[in-house]
Amino acid sequence: MELKNYESVIILTPVLAEKQMQEALASFRQLITEQGGNIVREENWGLTKLAYPIAKKSTGFYHIFEFKAPGTIVAKLELAFRRDEQVLRYLTIALDKHAVLYNERRSKGEFNKPKEVKEATV
Amino acid sequence: MSRIKKSSAQDDSFMFNNSPLQFKKKYCRFKKSGIKYIDYKSSEFLMKFVNDQGKLLPRRLTGTSLKYQRKVAEAVKRARHLAILPFIGDQLK
């Protein structure tokens, strides 16, 4: 099964304790690795304000997994997201080569210019 | 490139200032700066393509090509799903 690049963003409810949040994230990490995927990068935005309230909450923990995995993993992963009631919202997308390149450059901190995020030439 | 359409009544404030007199050549900013991927997580960047009510700006105002307008639309809709951008914003800018 050829590995494809995926990126999934989840929003966790802000009300839970740090420990519970780490447990939930660990369970997703473990699910990805056990399905034959490997996590390329993770990003945590911490407690951020949402643009509109979700489930009566106006803030949430954003967490971003970027991973390489076989295609069958997405259904299982999203089922896990759906089943876990701490996850308010999730989005999993497949990354094309431009996206992978962009993420690498973004993780190297190339884009966060102090004034505003201006895309450099690719 | 994009023809100047006669400004229909319901256009918002954008149409009034760029009257055909001082018409500037519109270009697709993505082709010019060579951007290939529009990240749905960067809200400051996406704000440029959304008007102050949070609605997507039409191509005739931004001048972006069709290919990149679709990418912008997809990125904005993903950002809205993840509550990075509001569906109906008020004085966003």
Side-chain angles (χ1 to χ4, degrees), chain A residues 3-35:
Chain A
L3 296 185
K4 287 164 68 182
N5 293 298
Y6 291 103
E7 178 182 70
S8 72
V9 184
I10 54 174
I11 306 178
L12 293 166
T13 167
V15 76
L16 54 82
E18 185 60 28
K19 194 177 65 55
Q20 279 164 322
M21 195 192 76
Q22 292 307 336
E23 259 163 40
L25 296 180
S27 71
F28 298 137
R29 234 172 259 134
Q30 196 250 341
L31 176 75
I32 293 175
T33 41
E34 135 211 311
Q35 293 292 330

Side-chain angles (χ1 to χ4, degrees), chain A residues 7 9 11 45 50-52 54 62 64 89-91 93 98-99 102-103 106 116-122, chain B residues 29 32-42 44-45 48 71 78-87:
Chain A
E7 178 182 70
V9 184
I11 306 178
W45 291 358
L50 302 177
Y52 53 87
I54 303 178
Y62 280 78
I64 303 165
R89 193 152 292 185
Y90 59 88
L91 175 72
I93 59 166
H98 300 303
Y102 170 81
N103 279 340
R106 182 167 177 270
E116 34 89 17
V117 180
K118 183 75 193 66
E119 300 289 308
T121 54
V122 174
Chain B
R29 56 182 295 152
K32 204 179 241 299
S33 57
I35 300 168
K36 286 279 190 303
Y37 172 69
I38 298 162
D39 190 14
Y40 60 93
K41 303 190 285 294
S42 57
E44 303 87 17
F45 185 65
K48 296 194 189 100
K71 287 192 173 159
R78 282 182 179 158
R80 285 177 181 161
H81 173 72
L82 283 174
I84 294 168
L85 282 182
F87 281 93

Side-chain angles (χ1 to χ4, degrees), chain B residues 9-88:
Chain B
Q10 36 79 16
D11 271 347
D12 36 35
S13 62
F14 298 99
M15 278 318 277
F16 300 132
N17 43 39
N18 52 14
S19 58
L21 299 166
Q22 25 97 2
F23 163 76
K24 63 176 174 53
K25 189 77 194 63
K26 281 213 165 58
Y27 58 86
C28 171
R29 56 182 295 152
F30 295 102
K31 276 196 200 132
K32 204 179 241 299
S33 57
I35 300 168
K36 286 279 190 303
Y37 172 69
I38 298 162
D39 190 14
Y40 60 93
K41 303 190 285 294
S42 57
S43 61
E44 303 87 17
F45 185 65
L46 292 179
M47 290 282 203
K48 296 194 189 100
F49 305 100
V50 160
N51 70 7
D52 50 12
Q53 292 155 20
K55 294 158 85 168
L56 267 163
L57 286 175
R59 282 180 58 214
R60 67 169 187 278
L61 298 184
T62 54
T64 50
S65 59
L66 179 57
K67 175 182 174 185
Y68 287 101
Q69 177 72 10
R70 285 200 189 112
K71 287 192 173 159
V72 166
E74 189 192 42
V76 166
K77 285 167 190 169
R78 282 182 179 158
R80 285 177 181 161
H81 173 72
L82 283 174
I84 294 168
L85 282 182
F87 281 93
I88 31 161

